[in-house]
Amino acid sequence: GHYIWVHDKGQVFMGDDGRIEKVLAIRLDVSEQKWIEDELEVDSIIIEHAAEGIAVIDTDMQIKRCNQALCKTLKKDKSQVESSDLRIILNGRQAKIDDSILDTVETEGSWRGELNLFDDKNEICLASRVSIQKIFLDTTQSTHYSFIHSDITDLKKTQSALDTLANVD
């Protein structure tokens, strides 16, 4: 009562006289693989269109993949962000993803917190809510990290302005 996806493969064996001696055919049901591919495509579209910056990072802290929101926040092209070291790309803007954060990710499996980037006048130029999650894949015995970044700069600037108004005559 439903359709399935199949992969067919065949081979014809000819005799010395040029006649067909035998035919070998294999049919595989690849419906589950096609379903998984469709789900991965949907997931990819969701990640690419998310408002939060999202990246996949390897054990050397190299950014393997990222979405446009992260590139926009960092004001860099995707080619500049991907294959970059997460610590360098953020530390170059005076943020600190230090060893204590990475140690927490290793021991507890995740870290959540705020990272603020300041300009030369010690004013916030980028405030971030960050989540880093360790991901271990049993099938490949490999470790990756998800990096999710939310830009909360406007919220922090508003909060700072309200603090100034409340505490200054």
Side-chain angles (χ1 to χ4, degrees):
H2 63 279
Y3 291 100
I4 64 170
W5 286 90
V6 296
H7 177 81
D8 290 333
K9 195 170 194 174
Q11 185 173 359
V12 175
F13 294 92
M14 308 292 273
D16 292 337
D17 60 357
R19 300 179 101 192
I20 296 174
E21 274 188 10
K22 60 183 169 180
V23 176
L24 177 64
I26 298 172
R27 173 169 280 172
L28 296 172
D29 180 350
V30 294
S31 300
E32 185 175 357
Q33 180 180 345
K34 290 298 283 180
W35 179 82
I36 291 169
E37 288 173 5
D38 289 347
E39 291 298 308
L40 287 172
E41 185 175 350
V42 169
D43 292 349
S44 176
I45 291 167
I46 290 168
I47 289 169
E48 189 56 39
H49 291 92
E52 290 79 20
I54 301 172
V56 176
I57 302 161
D58 67 13
T59 53
D60 296 324
M61 291 295 123
Q62 298 293 310
I63 299 171
K64 293 304 196 188
R65 288 183 300 283
C66 67
N67 67 353
Q68 277 305 125
L70 184 61
C71 298
K72 184 178 176 184
T73 300
L74 296 174
K75 297 180 176 133
K76 294 184 180 287
D77 292 331
K78 201 167 197 169
S79 61
Q80 294 173 303
V81 176
E82 290 181 342
S83 299
S84 297
D85 188 301
L86 178 68
R87 295 167 295 210
I88 293 172
I89 209 160
L90 292 175
N91 290 349
R93 296 174 55 102
Q94 294 96 24
K96 297 290 183 216
I97 292 201
D98 58 25
D99 290 335
S100 68
I101 293 173
L102 299 177
D103 289 343
T104 301
V105 172
E106 284 304 312
T107 57
E108 297 179 19
S110 65
W111 179 86
R112 293 175 194 258
E114 290 185 10
L115 295 174
N116 296 319
L117 307 177
F118 297 94
D119 62 16
D120 296 336
K121 300 174 191 171
N122 205 28
E123 293 179 9
I124 293 175
C125 62
L126 178 63
S128 308
R129 185 169 290 129
V130 172
S131 174
I132 304 172
Q133 180 77 40
K134 184 177 183 179
I135 302 164
F136 180 75
L137 300 174
D138 286 330
T139 53
T140 58
Q141 296 292 300
S142 62
T143 301
H144 290 80
Y145 302 90
S146 67
F147 176 84
I148 300 175
H149 172 276
S150 298
D151 185 351
I152 57 170
T153 306
D154 292 340
L155 178 67
K156 287 292 187 178
K157 286 183 177 181
T158 301
Q159 183 180 19
S160 178
L162 289 172
D163 288 346
T164 300
L165 285 172
N167 296 313
V168 176
D169 285 334

